[in-house]
Amino acid sequence: MKKWLLLIAVSFFMPGIAFCSVGFSSLLDASDDARPLMLSIWYPSEADQLDVVGGNAVFRGEYAALDGPLVGRHPLIVISHGGLRSTNDSGAWLGAALAKAGFIAIEVNAPRPETPVVAVNEIWQRPRDVRRALSVILGNPVWAGHVDQKKVFVVGFALGGTAALSVAGAELDAGSYYQSCADAGPVGADCTWYASHNVALNQLDQHGFDKPRHDDRFASAVSIDPEYLEAFSQGSGPPLISTLLISLGSEERKTSNLPLVENDLIDKATSSDGFAVCTDRGPHILLEEEGDAALCGVSPEVRARTHTQIVNKILSFLAGSL
């Protein structure tokens, strides 16, 4: 039944193409010297020569044809992945899976904030990055002609999920956001980092925070385990476009602040399942570097199944939202 629904979703976006090979390319946008963006572009391709992209000692990469041929027009998804200190291509697993389903998937890679003082501005920088990435692709003569501009979406995970909600039109309440670390909750790890450097959330650039973050070029949004969820304003109303919130864990993270957002749940998952499948050495490396081996989850097989569930929910929602 689930496979049948997935095939319906895929065929909605790409009639005649259910699954295909994956191409990969990258594009640097250096229009802002202080914040260059590296865009990782995953797309359907018929190429056979594949290389591993986005892997490292801890996380597995994905197979793709480097600069493989792309033909036709496709729906587009802009991906904002990970928390404050995620590495480039942390969402390679998601970009590759969406490309196999017939999308052009753009993962936005911005410079990692080196200090907490800089990092507090990521709350408004990430949505701006998403909007800027879309403008870059639509303004690029090589890529623009391949995008179906009636089917443009944003998907985000963790802080990227917060960015996706912001781009969708949900508004953060400044006072509630400033209190987020005092309330702890799911942002505890970042809050500990801030506290260790005596940095408070209200030390952000207020001018940047006050700028609008909504972008009506996006038709729908998906937010996976977003951070600072309770800080979205009750008085601003729901997002302005169709939005899905996917919770990873034992209960849905429903909030009265966003009453019309569609909620879905992947139980027995954790927020770490938004990251790639780990290598065999991944957990050991994390322990050696005083990291958290739990970032690798229960097993590679369980994480891969969770990834499949996430992708299926995204495809089903996007197909039904148009």
Side-chain angles (χ1 to χ4, degrees), residues 9-195:
V10 172
S11 63
F12 175 84
F13 292 108
M14 290 292 295
I17 300 180
F19 300 95
C20 51
S21 298
V22 175
F24 176 86
S25 188
S26 60
L27 181 64
L28 174 65
D29 174 37
S31 58
D32 183 343
D33 292 338
R35 195 174 177 87
L37 296 182
M38 179 61 72
L39 306 183
S40 295
I41 309 173
W42 303 84
Y43 54 91
S45 179
E46 297 178 353
D48 296 324
Q49 183 66 40
L50 302 179
D51 294 281
V52 177
V53 179
N56 54 43
V58 175
F59 295 112
R60 296 180 187 175
E62 297 292 334
Y63 285 100
L66 301 182
D67 297 318
L70 169 64
V71 296
R73 296 172 69 242
H74 307 268
L76 173 72
I77 292 180
V78 179
I79 301 172
S80 181
H81 185 279
L84 291 176
R85 288 161 282 178
S86 294
T87 59
N88 282 5
D89 294 322
S90 293
W93 67 268
L94 181 56
L98 292 172
K100 288 178 183 176
F103 291 86
I104 297 174
I106 313 294
E107 183 177 357
V108 187
N109 299 298
R112 297 171 67 185
E114 297 294 333
T115 68
V117 175
V118 175
V120 291
N121 290 308
E122 291 297 300
I123 192 67
W124 59 264
Q125 290 275 29
R126 298 292 179 98
R128 191 179 76 164
D129 292 344
V130 168
R131 299 172 62 186
R132 183 174 146 201
L134 179 57
S135 295
V136 169
I137 293 299
L138 296 184
N140 184 285
V142 175
W143 293 100
H146 292 291
V147 175
D148 182 346
Q149 297 190 27
K150 293 182 179 179
K151 297 176 183 177
V152 176
F153 314 100
V154 57
V155 173
F157 164 69
L159 192 60
T162 312
L165 289 171
S166 295
V167 170
E171 294 184 11
L172 283 165
D173 174 72
S176 298
Y177 171 67
Y178 298 155
Q179 287 297 313
S180 293
C181 280
D183 298 336
V187 292
D190 291 342
C191 292
T192 299
W193 188 44
Y194 288 135

